[in-house]
Structures are given as C-alpha cells and as structure tokens.
Amino acid sequence: ADVDVIRSLISYVDDHLTEKIDMVVASQIAGMSYSYFSKYFKKKMGSSFTDYVNQKRISKAERLLVTENRSVNEIAESVGIENMAHFYELFKRFNGCTPKQYLRKMNGMDDPM
C-alpha cells in the first residue's frame, strides 16, 4: 500500500508542478490527516513534502535553463514559483549557485574568480 500511496503522490506532484501544490490536497490523496501525512512523507521519502516539491521544481528549472532559451523569470514561473527572490533562494540552496552561474557552469564557461 505504501508504494501505491507514494507513487500517486509523486505523480500528483509531477502533474501539478506548474501550479500551487497544496499539502492538504496531497494528504487527502494519501488518505491521511495533514499532520500524519507530514510525518509519513518525511519518513518514507527522507525529506519534507515541501522540500520534495521544491527539489522537483528546481530540477525541472535546471533542465529548462539548459535546454530552452528563456529568461530566468519565465522558467521560474513555468515551474510554479512566481516570487523571484524565493526562486533564487531555492535554486541557490539546491545548487550552491544562482541560475546564471549554473548556466555558465553547464556551458563550460565557469571561470573561477
């Protein structure tokens, strides 16, 4: 049953990455109370639900930065993060650099200062 619950949660997150993902909805999908779901998800996945969603968003943003010629703003919005300060903060937390620095690194133009 755990595998099915986790699988349906992962596909919910993947399908709704560009929208606001509500933990209340996720807990309903899992058929659990909000507080139990929070503990359950962290135990099963090794990170909080919010961190998991943010990690998925930033991973998608990384791919988009490298494969599409769009502004950082457009990419942030396309992964469901409209607040640019929040996007930069998350991007930096998961990558240790800004989106532009990441892009330079991926293009092999990272010159150490």
Side-chain angles (χ1 to χ4, degrees):
D2 277 349
V3 174
D4 291 338
V5 169
I6 296 296
R7 193 175 290 134
S8 60
L9 288 166
I10 288 171
S11 80
Y12 168 72
V13 170
D14 289 344
D15 294 345
H16 296 87
L17 215 49
T18 60
E19 307 156 27
K20 181 177 180 351
I21 295 179
D22 195 338
M23 204 160 107
V24 172
V25 174
S27 63
Q28 289 167 347
I29 290 169
M32 301 171 189
S33 72
Y34 183 90
S35 60
Y36 182 78
F37 171 74
S38 179
K39 292 181 189 90
Y40 170 87
F41 193 88
K42 188 165 186 137
K43 185 177 167 201
K44 296 293 176 191
M45 299 296 285
S47 71
S48 73
F49 183 71
T50 305
D51 276 350
Y52 175 78
V53 170
N54 287 333
Q55 175 68 63
K56 294 288 277 191
R57 286 185 163 143
I58 296 303
S59 293
K60 185 174 181 181
E62 291 165 9
R63 281 193 306 278
L64 293 175
L65 274 168
V66 174
T67 59
E68 296 189 13
N69 192 15
R70 289 165 42 191
S71 73
V72 174
N73 269 28
E74 289 173 316
I75 288 171
E77 283 179 20
S78 72
V79 298
I81 305 171
E82 292 181 15
N83 179 326
M84 284 311 292
H86 186 58
F87 178 74
Y88 274 92
E89 178 191 316
L90 288 173
F91 200 94
K92 209 163 181 154
R93 183 188 334 150
F94 290 115
N95 288 297
C97 62
T98 68
K100 284 192 169 63
Q101 290 168 331
Y102 178 84
L103 199 52
R104 278 201 302 272
K105 229 189 291 189
M106 291 297 113
N107 290 330
M109 300 174 351
D110 192 30
D111 52 359
M113 293 185 192

